[in-house]
Amino acid sequence: MIFRCSRCLYWSNHPLGITFNDQGLCSGCQVHEEKDKIDWLQRSEELHSIFNARKLESKYDCIIPVTGGQDSFFTVHYAIHELGLNPLLVNFNRTFNSKEGLRNLALLRTSFDADLRQFNINPSVTKAVINCTLANLGSLNWLWIAGQTSFPVRLAIQLDIPFILWGAHQGIEQVGMYSHLENVEMTRRYRREHDLMGYDENDIFEFDPNFSADDIASLSYPTDQALLRSGVRGIYLSNYVRWDPTAQHEFVNKTYGYGGRKASRAYSFFDNPDCPAYFGVHDILKHTKFGYSKATDQLTREIRHGRISRAKALDIESRLTLAKPDGIREFLDWMGVSPATMNALLLQHSGEFASRVLEGEWFKEDFRSYFPGKVFRARRNDSYLDKDYQNIGKGV
Ligand SMILES: [Zn+2]
């Protein structure tokens, strides 16, 4: 039986894994409480000492992976103005970009007068990988996450840059996977198991043998031996700074002009403005697989920071998750995918969603209405649902 946390809006089937105490309080809420107990000034000094301890021979002190959204502005701001570092900004081009995201990325580079390296995979391979992961994993984001988590690491080794400074650790932020005080750093295992839903670039070969070794190499993560030899470390800023994305977004919006993007299903427009599909196809996929959407993440965050009551958040969530998603047609046109194919994909990956409907839970809208056209007509018998349940927990 799926249930919710007694404080936030997360369900017990959260794809990153979540645990509950005797009072029904989730691990994410428990670890969030550390934010009001930790001496953040001391933590900041610890971060300074990490960077100061390493004698640098490269031009850059660290790499900062950036996009046209999320925590890029704040992380770069903190690195330059609080830590006094000279970062190399690194971007994996998602190819399917919003104009707001492109503007933010350009603004980031000029605001901080920073060097930026970008990696581009050609559009046809980009679409082929997305098509492959949509079909096999029900994931739109897999390629982009694979690229964003591997290119900075390859480049750090190649250029002999000792640190990569990431923004938030999502496992800690969302579900309290570790304490902030464990100083968790990037690992191949976390990337594969959680960021990439248990499948790395080598597994793409198994899904589709038509991909070339070059295609896979552009997403490859360095070997453990190469990482060990280089001594490259990936540090998460959210372990050393009291992490509050809403406050950070407002700060970088006022200070640098960081811009959001309106979306019908979003509570905050400042999250993921660079991806035109994030609150569209991605959000519907997330909803059909797990029964909750990005708005649930955003509202959970606001509850934990004490800016909204649970009752009000539930009310807003119920409205946003029924809102018609934006940009469906643009994405289908870009991918060259028909509405019927997208319907089939959604149905194929709708195990958890289906169970919610059967239990009469809160999401009652039929997702197929979002994709007008010929609707896939598979029989949803018991064995079909059983097959789908095996996919639960693999993430979107
Ligand atoms: Zn909770």
Side-chain angles (χ1 to χ4, degrees), residues 60-252:
Y60 304 105
D61 300 310
C62 68
I63 276 177
I64 302 181
V66 296
T67 66
Q70 281 307 87
D71 39 28
S72 302
F73 266 86
F74 182 77
T75 306
V76 176
H77 165 85
Y78 196 90
I80 292 176
H81 294 302
E82 299 292 335
L83 298 172
L85 302 176
N86 178 32
L88 172 63
L89 311 188
V90 171
N91 172 252
F92 180 86
N93 187 357
R94 63 173 53 248
T95 306
F96 188 57
N97 289 295
S98 70
K99 66 178 190 304
E100 293 86 353
L102 293 172
R103 175 192 170 273
N104 280 340
L105 193 60
L107 186 66
L108 181 70
R109 195 165 58 82
T110 51
S111 296
F112 294 100
D113 193 27
D115 291 352
L116 183 143
R117 292 268 193 118
Q118 190 175 56
F119 191 87
N120 293 273
I121 297 185
N122 71 58
S124 61
V125 172
T126 298
K127 291 175 191 178
V129 176
I130 291 175
N131 200 39
C132 175
T133 60
L134 274 173
N136 289 286
L137 308 176
S139 173
L140 170 65
N141 276 354
W142 186 95
L143 164 72
W144 296 322
I145 296 172
Q148 286 162 12
T149 53
S150 61
F151 176 51
V153 187
R154 292 201 305 276
L155 200 59
I157 292 177
Q158 185 190 331
L159 301 180
D160 197 21
I161 300 175
F163 294 105
I164 300 171
L165 185 60
W166 303 92
H169 187 292
Q170 288 304 326
I172 297 175
E173 272 292 291
Q174 292 191 34
V175 297
M177 196 176 286
Y178 308 99
S179 160
H180 296 88
L181 301 174
E182 287 181 77
N183 301 334
V184 168
E185 298 187 2
M186 72 174 186
T187 62
R188 168 199 299 280
R189 184 175 176 185
Y190 183 88
R191 173 182 183 261
R192 180 190 164 97
E193 295 304 316
H194 301 291
D195 287 337
L196 300 180
M197 308 156 54
Y199 298 88
D200 69 20
E201 52 282 357
N202 297 309
D203 299 310
I204 295 292
F205 268 130
E206 291 184 22
F207 289 138
D208 187 346
N210 293 319
F211 287 117
S212 71
D214 280 347
D215 296 338
I216 306 303
S218 33
L219 301 172
S220 69
Y221 196 83
T223 63
D224 287 337
Q225 291 86 343
L227 263 177
L228 204 61
R229 264 200 313 275
S230 69
V232 169
R233 292 171 63 184
I235 312 279
Y236 293 95
L237 187 56
S238 60
N239 281 330
Y240 299 92
V241 170
R242 188 183 189 283
W243 207 251
D244 182 347
T246 303
Q248 290 159 4
H249 284 150
E250 285 169 3
F251 168 73
V252 296

Side-chain angles (χ1 to χ4, degrees), residues 4-11 18-20 24-30 32 174-175 300 303-304 310:
R4 288 211 205 231
C5 171
S6 56
R7 181 181 298 166
C8 73
L9 300 190
Y10 276 151
W11 294 86
I18 197 164
T19 58
F20 294 83
L25 191 66
C26 80
S27 42
C29 285
Q30 292 171 55
H32 181 88
Q174 292 191 34
V175 297
T300 283
I303 291 172
R304 289 176 180 169
R310 190 173 190 275

Side-chain angles (χ1 to χ4, degrees), residues 135-136 344-345 347-352 376 378-379 381-392 394:
N136 289 286
L345 283 169
L347 199 57
Q348 184 186 336
H349 294 285
S350 65
E352 188 70 15
F376 183 69
R379 259 190 80 79
N381 55 27
D382 287 344
S383 62
Y384 186 82
L385 286 179
D386 284 348
K387 178 175 152 282
D388 272 346
Y389 277 120
Q390 292 166 12
N391 288 326
I392 293 172
K394 289 183 178 171

